[in-house]
Amino acid sequence: MLYIKTVGAIFFRFTYGLTLYDGIYFCLRVHRSAGGSSVALLPFWRQCWQSAAEMIHSLFLINPTGDVFLEKHWKSVISRSVCDYFFEAREKAVTPENVAPVLQTPHHYLISIYRGKLFFLSVVQTEVSPLFVIEFLHRVADTFQDYFGECSETIINDNMVVVYELLEEMLDNGFPLATESSVLKELIKPPNILRSVVNTLTGGSNVGSSLPTSHLSTIPWRRNGVKYTHNEAYFDVIEEIDAIVDKSGMTVFAEIQGVVEACVRLSGMPDLTLSFVNPRLLDDVSFHPCVRFKRWESERVLSFIPPDGNFTLMTYHVSSQNLVSIPVYVKQNISFFDSGSSGRMDITVGPKQTMGKTVEGLSVTIHMPKSVLTVDLTATQGNYTYDLTAKVLVWDIGKLNPQKLPTLQGSLSIQAGVPKPVENPSLNIDLKIEQLAISGIKVSRLDLFGEKYKTFKGVKYVTKAGNFQVRT
Amino acid sequence: MTDSKYFTTTKKGEIFELKAELNSDKKEKKKEAVKKVIASMTVGKDVSALFPDVVNCMQTDNLELKKLVYLYLMNYAKSQPDMAIMAVNTFVKDCEDPNPLIRALAVRTMGCIRVDKITEYLCEPLRKCLKDEDPYVRKTAAVCVAKLHDINAQLVEDQGFLDTLKDLISDSNPMVVANAVAALSEIAESHPNSNLLDLNPQTINKLLTALNECTEWGQIFILDCLANYTPRDDRESQSICERVTPRLSHANSAVVLSAVKVLMKFMEMLPKDLDYYGTLLKKLAPPLVTLLSAEPELQYVALRNINLIVQRRPEILKHEMKVFFVKYNDPIYVKLEKLDIMIRLASQANIAQVLAELKEYATEVDVDFVRKAVRAIGRCAIKVEQSAERCVSTLLDLIQTKVNYVVQEAIVVIKDIFRKYPNKYESVIATLCENLDSLDEPEARAAMIWIVGEYAERIDNADELLESFLEGFHDESTQVQLQLLTAIVKLFLKKPTETQELVQQVLSLATQDSDNPDLRDRGYIYWRLLSTDPVAAKEVVLAEKPLISEETDLIEPTLLEELICHIGTLASVYHKPPSAFVEGSRGVQHKRLPATANSPDASSAAAVADAPPAVIPSQGDLLGDLLNLDLTPTTTGPTPAVSTGIQMGAMDLLGGGLDSLTMIDSVWVQVWVPAMKAKGLEISGTFARRAGVIQMEMTLSNKAMSVMTDFAIQFNRNSFGLAPAGPLQVLIPLSPNQSIEVTLPLNTVGPVMKMDPLSNLQVAVKNNIDVFYFSCQYPISILFVEDGKMERQVFLATWKDIPNENESQFQIKDCHLNAASSKLQGSNIFTIAKRTVDGQDMLYQSMKLSNGIWVLAELRVQAGNPNYTVTCLLWVQNT
């Protein structure tokens, strides 16, 4: 059966719909313009006419080679051909990281995130909050990570049914249903070898049969009846320095992204209070929902009933207005000669403000101009590798010895006949300093209320380089 | 053991095998089979043929198996509606299960089965579940109403589910409240005119309470819903803001941005001098900065929104320039957005830093980014005048790099700098000319040609340069051709002797050898101008050009306002109103920011302008109107107020105190059209009668970023036939931030139509941007003509003749009459006689309206009493 009917005529655009077989419309669009008429035949699904108002319509998981290996539709099925628009954008972008997260197609919006070499691509049809969708997609990826230990194509394929059950449990008609790990784990048990053996023997199931206790309480992040023989609460204060340092060693921009990761294994319903020596440093904070905001506003302490297990208690941000210490300096000289196809490079790294601690895990990554063919360098400490295709030089230094500063020097050879590179290579520094929070933040004490048992407590500090860039 | 085993196939055919397994007696085998079916489904295989077999597995105590079957049903019920009916009984039974998890699961799944026949059976179980004792079931049922509404809206309304849903907003459980709000919002979206989410202070209070306790997603729904509410006054606005601000510290960025939306909107209502206003501004900056340390995808959305926020309220982030500095490994889409915001935040205070950064970016690898960075330098020069010189020298440095695309971009922006600061940086032209040969992009070529043409008198070899372009005239793009044509004509007008041949050549190329109509037209115009009147040609072609505006890419104010109301949505990412691009958005309502506490409510002006035209009244009606509507003081209250000042309608001039009559100019000047309603054009003004001529005295202010020209004005038909006596005299273009005062003489011979209120005047003002409508009220005194002084005898006779129904009496309070008589005369209200009876002073007055209606008045003053009694009589002179 093939029949044509006029669906609508808006200004210069006439749209005809032809029903080819049940469910699919082909849409014929005739554009009338001064330059003549153009006709486009666009297939799309009938659902497009119906305007569904849900948030996330469908989810596609796409692997690095560009294949859809999982699709989940919360309402009606949308053909995976909708992903073609995404693939087109993917092709245009040089690297997968550069694909714009929000894409517009004639009938849908594609909102995607890139996690662990996979694209999580969601299809939405109506006006939604893209942040909502992006946050949700990250939550899905986090959940996979949490359940399976990693978030890769293999592991998702290996746990397809659990994945599908999880997705169904996380979203209902586009509304997030249960995204808290504690709730999900009661609804759907995470796979482990022991359980799958037991299940096979006893015919048991990995689906919880009762309503999670925490699902509707005002503390959905914690379940009832948690019990441990050893009660412990550990906190990691991790700070990352984001900085841009210019040629002359001046700090153009620096800030600290801090996060307090917690690992709390306490029985019952513990009520914790974490206080800092110098809470004034924290003027820009975001909390896990468990933190009581009022207490923070009035007393500058973190008061909370913790989720069970690992979670991020707080992230904070020490802005560029406060002085940010830069732990290392880099003396560099990279130059290309006008005559002959070569250049020289000379890099030295030394300690700057390390508060008396040792800088470890030091490495320097340099993105070379495209025309740099090979490098011939000598490092006084550590090893270097040069990726010929990506033009990335990585110098792995290790521990920084203030008495004997590591240097890397030698020559660069450039493709012959090409003008000398104009762009300046940029250096990225990676480092780690144990037992130091570079902002100076310090936990003063942790108090436990509501439960009466002995608790092992501990706080660890570590400073890392986040996005630490030195310009040349 | 992993699920990948479910994908293995056998020779006999997968479907066949599965069918056998699904019908197996062993529970375990059944479950494994269903799992295999689901696994096939997830990768997009069609396993719908197994429908009856899978449905048979539905009646089971095993929850996992039940869930899996439900999953399958949701996917395929649509294609097998008759089979799906088989499942209904199980659903209904499950809705009564003692386990709330199963009840919720059943109602949830039923809602996802989009089969009309099934929805009928869904109603009863749904009604029960909406009132279930377990909040988990209620919350699931709330969402189910939205699903059902999407399938069959009529059914939902008939069954009264919407009311039940509204009741759930008052539920004791915050999660139920959040879901009810979400469901109602979704339903309301498809019915823009339904008053589903009837927000009042009580419901708002409930929502704010639930906000603190529900999940992060629920918080987003509630915040988005709150954003649609318009608080009654600034105090309510402040108290809502206070309760929303803690959300700014939430870990979920979508919550943060939704809270920002609510705050940005409600902040509009707070008076700027309030302490809290400043506090709120300070509180907004840190969360926005924090969003920039999130994942790049979140950063992108955040940046698009910050772009809007800095346009609306630059003060929030003015000290945070550095966080927008581009990092080497930012994705390109983040880099470009950051660059845009850097320009918006650029000011004299931070321009040095910004320029240093931009120069750094101009040496990066990514071509698109480098181009944009170079362009940004030009925008800085235009935006911050003090930096122009430094920007130009930076651009010259970049041109020295000889990197082709950098040079081309630099030339394009230098052209803009020339247009902003003419005759200031011409010294660089020589450097630019050196790079003439390397330009291969049309935009850069056109820019260069423009520069050569514009400064032809200072470039010795301008003719040679332009001639060299002329050689390949037909291969150039239209942009370059047009520019070349104009440039050569300019050159000719400046150096007529040497370039006659050249101009002949280009004119013939443009008019005879080209098939581009634009080019031909322009060619002919120049040709005729030059051949008929070279002096006029000079005036036209070499006319002084308006300076280019500061920022051409600013979002137009009304759109910006609407987008601020949509922070965090797709609209804010695309910077387009939601109605413009969302498919199936049925009649999206345009949202507007609430008006500031003390500013006139301009939106009602628009409403008045939209009012349907009334029937032209007969003379008698008009008379009655003047009497009943306007002469009686009681009607002054409820007249539809256009703005507070104009409330004193027609005859209120008497009720409002006599001083107002003569102080019209200073008191009655008011803003008729605020800039944000008219794309940057602000119109304020007043009416006056000067030397017998009615005048509309207006001030037009250009608050937009571009020049306004082509002003014109028109009136709608009105009660007294007011019409412009001449065109609106705005001869020079109105530059940004410039104001002009215009006096428009009016006559009263225009078409008549009765307006309500009587002195309402609907005006349309047009300029090159758009047409704007507003309505205003004029003081009726402007209509009192100079020959309104009646002969005493006539007055007496008339006074007696006028029937009683044309009489009206009212009191004026607190008035000082000493100078009244002369003041009144200034307004063409003439005192005919004065007498004293029983210690009362009586003043008799006459006035005549432009349409021939006489008004006779008697003013009675009790000595020592500041209150007067006025008796007014209307008389229509037969003409």
Side-chain angles (χ1 to χ4, degrees):
Chain A
M1 263 310 270
L2 193 145
Y3 65 94
I4 298 184
K5 65 174 180 189
T6 308
V7 175
I10 312 150
F11 300 112
F12 302 103
R13 205 173 76 186
F14 294 84
T15 313
Y16 303 94
L18 351 169
T19 308
L20 288 186
Y21 63 89
D22 186 55
I24 299 186
Y25 272 109
F26 273 77
C27 170
L28 187 69
R29 279 217 171 140
V30 185
H31 285 271
R32 295 262 166 80
S33 64
S37 308
S38 66
V39 180
L41 189 65
L42 311 160
F44 62 97
W45 294 85
R46 168 188 276 182
Q47 283 79 15
C48 304
W49 302 96
Q50 292 175 346
S51 164
E54 84 287 6
M55 297 255 172
I56 298 168
H57 202 123
S58 301
L59 172 73
F60 295 97
L61 295 191
I62 297 166
N63 66 15
T65 52
D67 297 317
V68 177
F69 67 92
L70 179 138
E71 56 184 276
K72 164 80 188 151
H73 307 278
W74 276 277
K75 191 164 272 181
S76 47
V77 180
I78 291 181
S79 159
R80 59 169 71 177
S81 65
V82 74
C83 298
D84 291 349
Y85 294 100
F86 175 79
F87 296 138
E88 209 174 288
R90 164 70 189 86
E91 223 142 85
K92 269 188 209 147
V94 189
T95 55
E97 290 87 357
N98 282 336
V99 185
V102 185
L103 295 172
Q104 192 176 0
T105 78
H107 304 288
H108 304 95
Y109 291 89
L110 306 178
I111 300 178
S112 60
I113 63 162
Y114 185 63
R115 277 280 291 260
K117 300 219 160 70
L118 300 179
F119 283 105
F120 288 66
L121 177 78
S122 64
V123 182
V124 299
Q125 268 185 332
T126 47
E127 178 58 284
V128 297
S129 153
L131 275 188
F132 181 111
V133 179
I134 293 172
E135 279 277 0
F136 179 80
L137 292 177
H138 277 295
R139 209 58 62 85
V140 170
D142 290 343
T143 306
F144 291 167
Q145 183 90 32
D146 191 26
Y147 263 72
F148 315 124
E150 59 173 304
C151 182
S152 67
E153 186 187 358
T154 338
I155 204 101
I156 289 172
N157 272 329
D158 284 352
N159 296 284
M160 193 61 94
V161 176
V162 177
V163 165
Y164 220 64
E165 285 170 340
L166 278 173
L167 290 176
E168 187 56 37
E169 213 52 69
M170 291 179 83
L171 204 68
D172 173 24
N173 194 41
F175 297 109
L177 204 59
T179 52
E180 287 287 342
S181 156
S182 71
V183 174
L184 280 172
K185 281 187 176 160
E186 279 187 65
L187 285 169
I188 300 157
K189 308 243 163 49
N192 64 39
I193 292 167
L194 184 68
R195 179 150 48 246
S196 61
V197 172
V198 172
N199 282 353
T200 325
L201 291 177
T202 61
S205 105
N206 66 340
V207 168
S209 61
S210 63
L211 196 60
T213 46
S214 52
H215 204 295
L216 281 158
S217 69
T218 44
I219 36 170
W221 54 84
R222 190 174 182 90
R223 61 192 166 94
N224 277 328
V226 180
K227 237 183 153 70
Y228 289 102
T229 42
H230 290 281
N231 288 295
E232 46 190 26
Y234 296 114
F235 296 89
D236 287 340
V237 179
I238 304 160
E239 295 194 337
E240 294 194 351
I241 307 168
D242 284 355
I244 301 175
V245 176
D246 74 3
K247 270 191 241 296
S248 57
M250 291 278 289
T251 310
V252 176
F253 158 81
E255 62 177 14
I256 296 166
Q257 309 289 353
V259 54
V260 179
E261 296 281 1
C263 172
V264 179
R265 296 175 197 285
L266 297 173
S267 314
M269 273 288 161
D271 197 333
L272 300 177
T273 305
L274 187 73
S275 43
F276 295 94
V277 178
N278 39 9
R280 284 177 155 275
L281 279 169
L282 306 170
D283 58 345
D284 182 2
V285 285
S286 337
F287 297 120
H288 187 277
C290 68
V291 177
R292 297 181 180 102
F293 191 72
K294 283 230 167 75
R295 288 280 307 271
W296 170 257
E297 283 227 303
S298 55
E299 299 164 52
R300 296 272 139 179
V301 294
L302 299 181
S303 160
F304 56 99
I305 295 174
D308 186 36
N310 296 320
F311 65 99
T312 304
L313 178 64
M314 163 173 93
T315 60
Y316 59 93
H317 176 250
V318 179
S319 69
S320 41
Q321 268 142 39
N322 296 7
L323 230 60
V324 174
S325 312
I326 302 292
V328 293
Y329 70 85
V330 178
K331 241 171 50 188
Q332 41 79 22
N333 183 19
I334 302 175
S335 54
F336 300 101
F337 304 122
D338 283 325
S339 56
S341 41
S342 66
R344 266 207 73 76
M345 188 171 88
D346 190 343
I347 302 177
T348 309
V349 186
K352 207 171 169 187
Q353 292 155 304
T354 58
M355 322 284 170
K357 308 275 191 209
T358 321
V359 178
E360 294 168 85
L362 188 62
S363 80
V364 179
T365 307
I366 309 170
H367 296 261
M368 286 292 182
K370 292 272 172 283
S371 52
V372 174
L373 285 181
T374 54
V375 295
D376 181 17
L377 306 165
T378 344
T380 59
Q381 185 188 340
N383 306 310
Y384 77 87
T385 53
Y386 184 57
D387 184 334
L388 294 173
T389 47
K391 311 283 180 195
V392 176
L393 177 75
V394 181
W395 177 28
D396 207 341
I397 303 170
K399 204 179 266 183
L400 180 66
N401 181 358
Q403 269 71 49
K404 195 166 157 287
L405 299 181
T407 57
L408 177 70
Q409 53 180 318
S411 62
L412 313 168
S413 68
I414 306 171
Q415 202 175 340
V418 172
K420 74 167 189 167
V422 280
E423 71 260 29
N424 301 326
S426 168
L427 275 60
N428 274 69
I429 312 286
D430 207 3
L431 55 83
K432 198 162 109 181
I433 307 171
E434 299 276 5
Q435 290 314 311
L436 172 74
I438 197 104
S439 69
I441 195 80
K442 231 178 163 63
V443 172
S444 66
R445 53 182 298 146
L446 176 74
D447 298 304
L448 169 74
F449 303 96
E451 299 285 340
K452 288 184 183 129
Y453 43 72
K454 196 173 176 297
T455 316
F456 297 94
K457 306 179 240 188
V459 180
K460 246 176 34 186
Y461 300 91
V462 63
T463 296
K464 293 175 184 173
N467 208 328
F468 192 132
Q469 178 190 340
V470 180
R471 288 176 179 160
T472 61
Chain B
M1 263 213 301
T2 68
D3 293 352
S4 43
K5 66 178 180 218
Y6 299 129
F7 292 115
T8 52
T9 51
T10 53
K11 284 171 206 159
K12 268 195 170 177
E14 201 182 3
I15 300 289
F16 180 81
E17 289 262 317
L18 283 171
K19 209 177 180 83
E21 283 175 38
L22 284 170
N23 290 316
S24 154
D25 296 334
K26 284 182 194 154
K27 265 190 180 175
E28 198 45 39
K29 203 158 193 185
K30 252 186 188 174
K31 195 165 93 185
E32 288 300 299
V34 176
K35 279 193 176 182
K36 282 184 198 169
V37 173
I38 299 288
S40 304
M41 196 172 81
T42 54
V43 290
K45 277 184 201 163
D46 184 10
V47 283
S48 59
L50 293 167
F51 200 89
D53 308 284
V54 177
V55 170
N56 276 338
C57 304
M58 195 172 160
Q59 293 200 27
T60 168
D61 301 333
N62 185 319
L63 190 62
E64 188 183 16
L65 185 56
K66 200 179 262 298
K67 276 190 168 183
L68 292 172
V69 175
Y70 278 2
L71 274 180
Y72 179 90
L73 267 174
M74 281 188 245
N75 230 17
Y76 289 118
K78 183 100 189 169
S79 56
Q80 311 264 346
D82 295 331
M83 287 293 202
I85 292 282
M86 289 163 52
V88 165
N89 262 336
T90 320
F91 278 129
V92 175
K93 216 174 89 198
D94 282 354
C95 285
E96 314 246 317
D97 197 279
N99 185 344
L101 194 61
I102 293 182
R103 292 203 295 277
L105 189 64
V107 78
R108 192 173 119 202
T109 314
M110 273 182 101
C112 293
I113 297 179
R114 304 176 59 85
V115 177
D116 286 339
K117 285 180 198 158
I118 287 193
T119 49
E120 291 165 26
Y121 297 98
L122 179 59
C123 293
E124 277 321 302
L126 178 58
R127 197 188 314 283
K128 264 183 217 154
C129 287
L130 280 168
K131 304 226 159 100
D132 200 286
E133 54 175 19
D134 193 302
Y136 180 72
V137 182
R138 289 203 299 277
K139 139 188 143 121
T140 316
V143 176
C144 189
V145 175
K147 294 181 199 168
L148 190 60
H149 187 270
D150 191 36
I151 306 168
N152 189 343
Q154 196 55 46
L155 185 72
V156 170
E157 279 162 41
D158 294 346
Q159 296 279 334
F161 285 141
L162 293 182
D163 292 326
T164 323
L165 208 50
K166 280 186 208 164
D167 293 344
L168 286 184
I169 291 189
S170 317
D171 199 279
S172 56
N173 187 294
M175 253 73 80
V176 179
V177 177
N179 274 21
V181 167
L184 279 172
S185 307
E186 189 187 311
I187 295 172
E189 201 178 303
S190 54
H191 287 259
N193 297 322
S194 63
N195 209 7
L196 276 178
L197 273 167
D198 183 22
L199 298 174
N200 54 46
Q202 286 77 41
T203 44
I204 290 294
N205 202 23
K206 279 172 199 153
L207 292 183
L208 286 169
T209 313
L211 180 63
N212 289 325
E213 290 170 0
C214 65
T215 63
E216 48 199 311
W217 313 108
Q219 292 182 13
I220 299 170
F221 293 131
I222 292 181
L223 287 169
D224 286 347
C225 176
L226 274 178
N228 289 329
Y229 176 65
T230 311
R232 286 161 306 170
D233 51 27
D234 50 326
R235 282 182 55 198
E236 189 185 7
S237 179
Q238 176 175 349
S239 85
I240 295 176
C241 287
E242 277 166 0
R243 294 176 71 177
V244 167
T245 30
R247 298 300 120 211
L248 292 174
S249 300
H250 202 283
N252 186 321
S253 60
V255 175
V256 174
L257 207 57
S258 288
V260 169
K261 164 163 63 186
V262 174
L263 295 175
M264 281 296 285
K265 195 178 164 192
F266 288 7
M267 223 161 122
E268 295 287 330
M269 291 193 67
L270 300 178
K272 302 250 181 316
D273 47 357
L274 196 71
D275 285 346
Y276 182 71
Y277 178 82
T279 321
L280 198 54
L281 274 183
K282 274 193 208 108
K283 279 192 175 166
L284 276 170
L288 290 174
V289 170
T290 305
L291 289 178
L292 296 181
S293 50
E295 286 83 358
E297 299 95 2
L298 296 170
Q299 273 187 52
Y300 171 72
V301 177
L303 283 165
R304 290 295 285 172
N305 281 287
I306 288 173
N307 199 328
L308 296 174
I309 293 167
V310 296
Q311 285 187 59
R312 180 83 194 162
R313 297 196 181 278
E315 61 269 33
I316 294 177
L317 286 167
K318 67 178 174 200
H319 298 302
E320 303 291 345
M321 170 64 92
K322 283 185 173 178
V323 298
F324 298 104
F325 284 1
V326 172
K327 287 166 196 151
Y328 182 81
N329 39 8
D330 282 334
I332 181 74
Y333 55 84
V334 168
K335 285 183 177 175
L336 296 176
E337 287 308 315
K338 280 187 172 176
L339 202 53
D340 216 38
I341 295 171
M342 279 174 70
I343 306 298
R344 296 211 193 282
L345 289 176
S347 67
Q348 206 186 333
N350 56 26
I351 194 74
Q353 265 184 330
V354 174
L355 268 183
E357 280 296 302
L358 292 176
K359 199 175 171 187
E360 199 68 48
Y361 304 158
T363 60
E364 276 224 27
V365 193
D366 194 303
V367 178
D368 283 342
F369 180 58
V370 171
R371 280 175 183 276
K372 194 152 182 185
V374 176
R375 252 176 217 234
I377 297 176
R379 279 169 64 187
C380 279
I382 290 163
K383 191 171 178 207
V384 187
E385 187 164 357
Q386 293 81 356
S387 73
E389 194 155 348
R390 208 180 308 168
C391 293
V392 171
S393 75
T394 308
L395 286 169
L396 285 179
D397 287 351
L398 290 173
I399 288 177
Q400 296 307 339
T401 62
K402 303 276 177 200
V403 178
N404 193 282
Y405 51 86
V406 174
V407 173
Q408 309 215 34
E409 283 299 326
I411 285 181
V412 172
V413 298
I414 285 180
K415 178 205 72 180
D416 289 341
I417 295 176
F418 280 167
R419 289 203 56 186
K420 172 79 180 175
Y421 310 107
N423 306 320
K424 221 170 156 190
Y425 300 108
E426 283 69 35
S427 51
V428 307
I429 291 176
T431 323
L432 302 185
C433 289
E434 286 165 20
N435 296 286
L436 216 56
D437 301 332
S438 62
L439 307 179
D440 51 11
E441 289 163 23
E443 208 185 346
R445 285 174 81 85
M448 193 63 219
I449 293 169
W450 183 87
I451 293 172
V452 174
E454 191 66 17
Y455 297 100
E457 68 272 31
R458 312 197 195 177
I459 306 171
D460 293 336
N461 59 343
D463 48 344
E464 283 171 38
L465 294 176
L466 292 176
E467 201 171 357
S468 69
F469 281 107
L470 205 55
E471 281 161 18
F473 189 76
H474 288 300
D475 303 328
E476 300 282 5
S477 71
T478 314
Q479 190 185 12
V480 180
Q481 288 176 333
L482 285 169
Q483 206 52 260
L484 196 52
L485 173 62
T486 308
I488 291 179
V489 172
K490 280 183 194 164
L491 173 72
F492 171 71
L493 289 167
K494 286 174 177 171
K495 302 179 179 171
T497 44
E498 314 113 75
T499 56
Q500 203 151 1
E501 207 173 303
L502 193 61
V503 82
Q504 289 283 357
Q505 202 184 338
V506 76
L507 287 174
S508 84
L509 276 172
T511 53
Q512 285 157 26
D513 302 340
S514 165
D515 47 11
N516 182 321
D518 287 347
L519 186 64
R520 262 202 325 256
D521 283 358
R522 195 187 283 193
Y524 278 124
I525 289 172
Y526 283 144
W527 203 326
R528 282 179 198 150
L529 263 175
L530 291 175
S531 56
T532 51
D533 188 352
V535 181
K538 207 161 188 166
E539 270 170 32
V540 172
V541 180
L542 301 180
E544 204 164 296
K545 278 164 279 298
L547 299 183
I548 60 165
S549 52
E550 236 175 46
E551 278 193 70
T552 43
D553 61 337
L554 277 183
I555 295 175
E556 185 261 306
T558 30
L559 176 59
L560 181 62
E561 265 190 41
E562 193 178 353
L563 290 177
I564 290 284
C565 297
H566 287 281
I567 282 177
T569 64
L570 280 169
S572 70
V573 173
Y574 284 99
H575 291 185
K576 285 183 199 162
S579 50
F581 66 99
V582 171
E583 184 158 322
S585 59
R586 288 166 261 191
V588 173
Q589 282 170 316
H590 289 270
K591 292 185 186 172
R592 282 183 172 152
L593 289 176
T596 320
N598 4 352
S599 83
D601 181 11
S603 63
S604 68
V608 174
D610 292 341
V615 187
I616 303 169
S618 70
Q619 199 82 322
D621 281 349
L622 182 61
L623 182 85
D625 253 50
L626 268 174
L627 260 181
N628 299 330
L629 282 176
D630 302 303
L631 288 179
T632 45
T634 44
T635 56
T636 54
T639 44
V642 169
S643 70
T644 45
I646 318 185
Q647 267 186 353
M648 306 203 262
M651 276 298 168
D652 289 344
L653 58 99
L654 292 172
L658 291 168
D659 279 350
S660 61
L661 281 180
T662 43
M663 291 168 67
I664 287 165
D665 315 332
S666 52
V667 176
W668 284 49
V669 171
Q670 43 191 293
V671 179
W672 286 329
V673 180
M676 60 186 191
K677 298 284 173 197
K679 303 186 178 168
L681 175 66
E682 187 183 277
I683 306 176
S684 59
T686 181
F687 292 90
R689 187 178 185 98
R690 293 187 204 280
V693 181
I694 305 170
Q695 290 180 340
M696 188 175 180
E697 295 168 354
M698 286 183 286
T699 308
L700 307 174
S701 311
N702 182 354
K703 308 230 159 137
M705 294 300 165
S706 55
V707 176
M708 295 179 178
T709 55
D710 307 334
F711 284 95
I713 193 163
Q714 257 185 357
F715 291 176
N716 194 2
R717 291 185 293 186
N718 53 73
S719 315
F720 292 96
L722 278 178
L728 193 60
Q729 299 286 324
V730 186
L731 298 175
I732 46 162
L734 197 55
S735 313
N737 281 328
Q738 196 192 349
S739 296
I740 186 168
E741 289 185 8
V742 201
T743 304
L744 180 71
L746 307 180
N747 59 31
T748 53
V749 297
V752 175
M753 177 175 76
K754 186 196 141 191
M755 299 299 291
D756 183 23
L758 211 58
S759 60
N760 194 12
L761 180 65
Q762 296 177 350
V763 185
V765 170
K766 178 191 102 70
N767 64 8
N768 58 330
I769 296 165
D770 205 346
V771 182
F772 312 106
Y773 301 93
F774 65 89
S775 72
C776 54
Q777 290 186 345
Y778 45 87
I780 209 114
S781 62
I782 61 166
L783 297 167
F784 296 155
V785 295
E786 279 69 17
D787 60 348
K789 184 162 182 149
M790 207 176 241
E791 288 296 314
R792 280 185 80 147
Q793 275 74 24
V794 185
F795 186 92
L796 269 171
T798 319
W799 185 267
K800 285 178 190 150
D801 283 352
I802 296 175
N804 280 347
E805 60 263 31
N806 280 14
E807 183 177 318
S808 155
Q809 241 186 38
F810 50 91
Q811 294 236 318
I812 305 176
K813 291 199 172 105
D814 298 325
C815 185
H816 306 280
L817 198 63
N818 295 342
S821 181
S822 62
K823 269 189 179 177
L824 288 170
Q825 187 146 356
S827 307
N828 293 335
I829 301 173
F830 301 92
T831 307
I832 312 294
K834 192 175 169 184
R835 61 178 179 145
T836 312
V837 179
D838 305 334
Q840 280 188 335
D841 283 333
M842 321 267 260
L843 238 62
Y844 291 93
Q845 277 133 341
S846 75
M847 57 215 100
K848 187 182 163 193
L849 286 164
S850 57
N851 56 357
I853 297 179
W854 284 91
V855 182
L856 309 184
E858 178 196 67
L859 229 83
R860 215 176 306 158
V861 190
Q862 186 83 48
N865 184 350
N867 295 350
Y868 305 148
T869 307
V870 181
T871 309
C872 270
L873 297 166
L874 276 185
W875 178 51
V876 183
Q877 196 175 33
N878 294 319
T879 47

